Amino acid sequence: MILDRHDRINSSEMQARLESAGTSDRRIPVEQTSDFIDLMQIYEGAMYEISTKLEILDDEFQVRFSHDPIHHMERRLKSVSSIIGKLERKGLPLTTESIKDHLFDVAGIRVICNYRDDVYSVSRYLSAQSDIQVLRVKDYIRNPKQNGYRSLHVIYAVPVFLSTGAHYTPVEVQFRTIAMDYWASLEHALRYKSNLPDAKLAEHSQTLLDCARSLQNVEAQMQSIHRDINGAPRGDET
Ligand code: GTP
Ligand code: MG
């Protein structure tokens, strides 16, 4: 199952969003509007290329091992206002060139797997495919963040073939388990959506850190039962 967290690219709507994003000095220049829309279409294509590869791998596992490693996927393109906000935070010019050169997470896919073994096997098989490149890996599963966040982040470059030829385009893929996703959603809500006083925030953050550890233990125990039921893992255990 794939959940799309954005609308399909539509030129007139994208143009309206570009025009309404911020004040005139905080916008992508009008003369770059069509380049920007073309660029977004390429990011969308790259995202579809990678998610199709992942669906094919998931189907193969189902056929060969009667096991679906991927629970579901979520896809999203960064919104115009988030793109502008990120360029500004990084002190970069608001141009399509600067998006291409500096933002690697315009196209994003979250791959929610059933077990930790699945995270590593799916990411390993995807990374080994000869037509894509791995640009960057951040393994917050082996090295969790201080707040307890765990996920495997990989930035891939995938060729998107248009009438103008191949465009190698980055896609950020976040691989995580159901438990890691469950945790990250609540932590995100606490950090970005709550208006709690600082003391409450600190208390909840500490509780969340404890929850991250508990979930990690539960996950390890359930993984071990799953391995026993399904036989030895296929060299993917960590
Ligand atoms: P930015 O993209 O600028 O944030 O920097 P980066 O690319 O170095 O970030 P990183 O790869 O560490 O994380 C990128 C994404 O991972 C974020 O946009 C979130 O979706 C997710 N993420 C990272 N850290 C956390 C966290 O502590 N909590 C939650 N809920 N999500 C996180
Ligand atoms: Mg990022």
Side-chain angles (χ1 to χ4, degrees), residues 81-98:
S81 58
S82 305
I83 289 174
I84 292 175
K86 189 156 183 177
L87 289 174
E88 285 185 324
R89 274 199 309 283
K90 290 176 170 253
L92 293 164
L94 305 185
T95 61
T96 49
E97 279 310 312
S98 133

Side-chain angles (χ1 to χ4, degrees), residues 86 105 136 172:
K86 189 156 183 177
D105 62 349
R136 192 182 80 185
E172 182 183 83

Side-chain angles (χ1 to χ4, degrees), residues 22-233:
T23 51
S24 58
D25 59 336
R26 290 191 60 238
R27 278 187 206 142
I28 307 281
V30 172
E31 62 276 15
Q32 292 201 353
T33 300
S34 88
D35 284 353
F36 179 85
I37 294 170
D38 290 350
L39 185 60
M40 285 297 141
Q41 196 243 318
I42 297 175
Y43 281 119
E44 186 179 51
M47 194 169 69
Y48 290 153
E49 291 282 355
I50 296 276
S51 58
T52 300
K53 284 172 173 295
L54 288 160
E55 280 186 305
I56 292 171
L57 278 175
D58 191 48
D59 290 346
E60 186 202 350
F61 270 67
Q62 175 56 42
V63 171
R64 291 181 61 198
F65 309 115
S66 302
H67 169 62
D68 288 308
I70 300 177
H71 182 266
H72 74 279
M73 288 190 258
E74 294 170 13
R75 298 188 290 213
R76 72 103 183 86
L77 279 184
K78 230 180 175 54
S79 66
V80 173
S81 58
S82 305
I83 289 174
I84 292 175
K86 189 156 183 177
L87 289 174
E88 285 185 324
R89 274 199 309 283
K90 290 176 170 253
L92 293 164
L94 305 185
T95 61
T96 49
E97 279 310 312
S98 133
I99 298 171
K100 272 196 253 182
D101 293 346
H102 302 285
L103 300 193
F104 297 99
D105 62 349
V106 174
I109 304 177
R110 201 165 273 160
V111 183
I112 292 106
C113 294
N114 288 302
Y115 295 95
R116 181 184 152 129
D117 284 353
D118 298 327
V119 164
Y120 285 105
S121 54
V122 171
S123 60
R124 200 161 54 94
Y125 291 124
L126 182 62
S127 300
Q129 296 191 3
S130 56
D131 54 344
I132 63 177
Q133 289 168 9
V134 174
L135 298 183
R136 192 182 80 185
V137 178
K138 282 193 192 169
D139 191 343
Y140 295 123
I141 298 178
R142 288 198 175 93
N143 303 298
K145 286 180 60 173
Q146 278 201 338
N147 60 2
Y149 177 77
R150 293 183 304 139
S151 275
L152 174 65
H153 295 183
V154 185
I155 296 174
Y156 293 101
V158 60
V160 177
F161 293 91
L162 299 182
S163 56
T164 44
H167 299 256
Y168 279 81
T169 309
V171 178
E172 182 183 83
V173 184
Q174 300 178 352
F175 298 93
R176 50 172 74 152
T177 61
I178 296 170
M180 294 173 199
D181 191 53
Y182 173 48
W183 184 94
S185 306
L186 186 61
E187 194 271 346
H188 184 267
L190 179 69
R191 210 150 34 108
Y192 295 107
K193 294 188 187 152
S194 72
N195 267 326
L196 295 171
D198 285 354
K200 239 334 174 214
L201 208 63
E203 184 192 325
H204 288 332
S205 300
Q206 182 55 51
T207 310
L208 272 172
L209 183 55
D210 297 340
C211 292
R213 293 191 182 120
S214 307
L215 286 170
Q216 192 173 344
N217 287 334
V218 169
E219 216 171 51
Q221 292 172 58
M222 290 178 63
Q223 172 80 78
S224 146
I225 297 172
H226 185 260
R227 279 184 190 168
D228 277 349
I229 298 170
N230 287 272

